[in-house]
């Protein structure tokens, strides 16, 4: 991300710095870049606590640490926050967090999701799924905020009674950066100053990406009463100002990555972080009644159809721990076994699964024989299993008419030599691996520069050096079928 072309419109960005934040599941990352050229100036990061429910204060603390590690924001003109999607941050009338946030990978609201589908379909689940897809572009699963609100109303009525507004992680951090929160230095009714953007709002289940409108009727249906929601700030607009610091709208992390990668039509991002994600930027909204593809919005005014699994890089982390090896050794092991791991197949549902929707499923190892019970075969089966889940996501996107011209591999696990090399064979297409980087934070930084310039479009920051990985002639032709059979044999719904 080093080259530049000059701005066609808007204020000059020359000599200014912008910051982008990625408040993701496992950590907070901050990049500080030259607003005009996109050149990286400074970087900082800090870990987040483990678990699927987290006190948002921990994100705020991690943001402070990451910002200081990046040299602070004193010389920065604008900042925008990208964040893990869907997490429910429930706030009381004074702006206090009512309970720890339930994250995107918390599956306790799976039953609430089924109830919401049934209710909209008046007892017919298929009709209900169609109705949700048509009305808000998504079919409820445990990840989406609306199901978490229903869970809260049913299981913690005392907490639910206190809720005055609901926000997402990036909304809440933007609000805190602007000086709002309990005992707000910004004063007045600070809940009314909560902001979001259409990308993150579209992951709630009570916002329609196609029309750009909240669906308060669905929110009320889920929670039992109307509560406050953040104002939706247009892509590239200024959300808030804090002294001389301009705050951009911010974005859901996957839309942030799309902006950071400068994705165009035909580009598909495969991201392997905590989540495994396949997403594309499209001009028209997607409404998939199977629920495999979520019809989200992107951070530029377009759309971001997306399939997401709960089981990405942590499958490799877990298998690496089991085998007593680090990431590098794990990749070497995986590459030392033959394609298809001689029949050993891992269904990687270690955290349950979302795509397909099997929240209570567990992982399973199939085809175990004397000849394939080696660390190398297990490492290979893990890499193949995660990628096979993403191949299903890629096919689901294709089934929605999404063109696939170029696949970009990003996320923490894109650093794995095994993932890079095996991905083209499993996905069935060549894969482009951009230089290792923080593309969500980069997208947020680009959005911050866009807000600062006031231009119609985000500044053009080039994408520096990428490597191409092709499909090899060693593909195990039976692997996809074996995986499909094994996938159906997992325990749990
Ligand atoms: N070389 C590697 N091989 C495999 N996994 C890796 C490698 N480097 C980092 N990871 C994993 O990537 C994950 C962090 O990636 P990241 O995209 O930042 O996640 P998230 O955005 O979900 O917080 C961790 O699970 C980490 O162990
Ligand atoms: O739920 C989704 C997308 O719908 C996840 O992609 C989250 O947005 C978390 O992302 P990572 O922390 O894994 O990047």
């Amino acid at each position: 991300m080093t080259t530049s072309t000059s701005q066609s419109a808007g204020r000059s960005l020359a000599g200014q710095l912008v910051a982008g934040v990625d408040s993701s599941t496992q950590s907070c990352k901050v990049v500080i870049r030259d607003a005009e050229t996109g050149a990286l100036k400074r970087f900082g990061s800090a870990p987040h606590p483990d678990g699927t429910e987290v006190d948002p204060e921990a994100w705020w603390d991690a943001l402070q640490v990451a910002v200081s590690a990046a040299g602070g924001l004193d010389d920065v003109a604008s900042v925008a926050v990208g964040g893990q999607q869907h997490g429910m941050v429930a706030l009381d009338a004074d702006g206090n967090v009512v309970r720890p946030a339930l994250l995107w990978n918390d599956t306790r609201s799976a039953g609430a999701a089924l109830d919401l589908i049934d209710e909209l379909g008046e007892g017919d689940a298929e009709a209900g799924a169609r109705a949700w897809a048509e009305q808000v572009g998504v079919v409820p699963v445990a990840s989406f905020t609306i199901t978490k609100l229903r869970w809260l109303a049913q299981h913690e009525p005392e907490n639910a009674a206190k809720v005055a507004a609901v926000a997402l992680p990036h909304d809440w951090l933007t609000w805190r950066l602007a000086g709002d929160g309990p005992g707000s230095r910004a004063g007045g009714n600070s809940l009314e100053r909560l902001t979001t953007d259409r990308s993150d709002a579209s992951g709630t289940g009570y916002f329609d990406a196609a029309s750009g409108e909240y669906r308060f009727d669905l929110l009320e249906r889920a929670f039992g009463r109307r509560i406050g929601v953040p104002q939706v700030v247009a892509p590239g607009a200024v959300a808030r100002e804090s002294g001389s610091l301009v705050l951009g709208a911010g974005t859901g992390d996957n839309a942030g990555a799309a902006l950071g990668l400068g994705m165009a039509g035909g580009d598909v991002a495969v991201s392997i972080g905590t989540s495994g994600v396949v997403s594309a930027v499209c001009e028209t909204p997607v409404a998939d009644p199977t629920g495999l593809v979520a019809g989200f919005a992107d951070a530029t005014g377009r759309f971001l159809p997306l399939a997401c699994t709960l089981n990405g890089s942590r499958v490799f982390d877990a298998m690496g721990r089991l085998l007593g090896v680090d990431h590098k050794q794990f990749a070497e092991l995986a590459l030392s076994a033959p394609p298809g791991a001689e029949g050993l197949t891992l269904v990687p549902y270690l955290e349950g699964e979302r795509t397909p929707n099997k929240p209570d499923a567990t992982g399973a190892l199939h085809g175990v024989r004397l000849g394939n019970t080696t660390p190398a075969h297990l490492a290979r089966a893990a890499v193949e299993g995660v990628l096979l889940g993403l191949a299903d996501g890629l096919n689901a996107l294709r089934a929605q008419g999404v063109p696939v011209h170029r696949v970009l591999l990003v996320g923490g696990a894109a650093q794995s030599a095994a993932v890079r090399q095996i991905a083209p064979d499993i996905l069935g297409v060549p894969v482009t691996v951009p230089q290792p980087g923080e593309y969500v934070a980069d997208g947020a930084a680009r959005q911050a520069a866009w807000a600062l310039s006031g231009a119609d479009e985000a500044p053009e920051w080039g994408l520096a050096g990428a490597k191409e990985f092709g499909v090899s002639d060693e593909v195990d032709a039976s692997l996809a079928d074996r995986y499909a059979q094994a996938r159906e044999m997992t325990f749990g719904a």
Side-chain angles (χ1 to χ4, degrees), residues 22-29 48 84 104 253 271-275 312-318 321 326-328 330-331 410-419 437-438 440:
D22 176 11
S23 178
S24 71
T25 313
Q26 295 192 48
S27 63
C28 181
K29 305 134 205 178
H48 281 161
Q84 54 174 312
W104 65 278
D253 56 0
S271 168
I272 312 182
T274 314
S275 58
S313 59
R314 277 177 166 164
V315 175
F316 310 142
D317 297 346
R321 271 196 307 275
D326 63 18
H327 286 314
K328 187 164 178 290
F330 182 80
V410 293
Q415 293 170 67
S416 158
V419 171
E438 296 299 341
V440 176

Side-chain angles (χ1 to χ4, degrees), residues 129-130 132-134 136-140 285-295 305-307 355 393 395-397 399-400:
R130 264 198 315 277
W132 280 98
E134 277 161 19
V136 282
V138 298
V139 180
V286 162
D288 177 7
T290 71
L292 292 175
V293 176
L306 176 151
T355 313
N395 288 333
L397 249 65
Q400 292 304 311

Side-chain angles (χ1 to χ4, degrees), residues 137-221:
V138 298
V139 180
V141 288
S143 291
F144 300 151
T145 328
I146 195 164
T147 70
K148 299 177 190 301
L149 284 170
R150 167 60 70 84
W151 180 91
L152 187 67
Q154 281 181 333
H155 293 266
E156 295 184 353
E158 280 176 21
N159 279 334
K162 293 182 204 154
V163 177
V166 60
L168 297 168
H170 110 250
D171 312 342
W172 185 81
L173 284 168
T174 305
W175 185 66
R176 293 294 304 268
L177 275 170
D180 275 312
S184 146
R185 66 175 148 80
N189 181 353
S190 80
L191 291 182
E192 284 176 3
R193 293 193 294 266
L194 280 162
T195 58
T196 191
D197 83 312
R198 60 192 277 287
S199 77
D200 229 3
S202 67
T204 57
Y206 44 84
F207 178 87
D208 175 20
S211 66
E213 301 289 338
Y214 277 114
R215 288 290 306 266
F216 291 108
D217 56 328
L218 297 178
L219 174 58
E220 205 170 322
R221 174 190 278 275

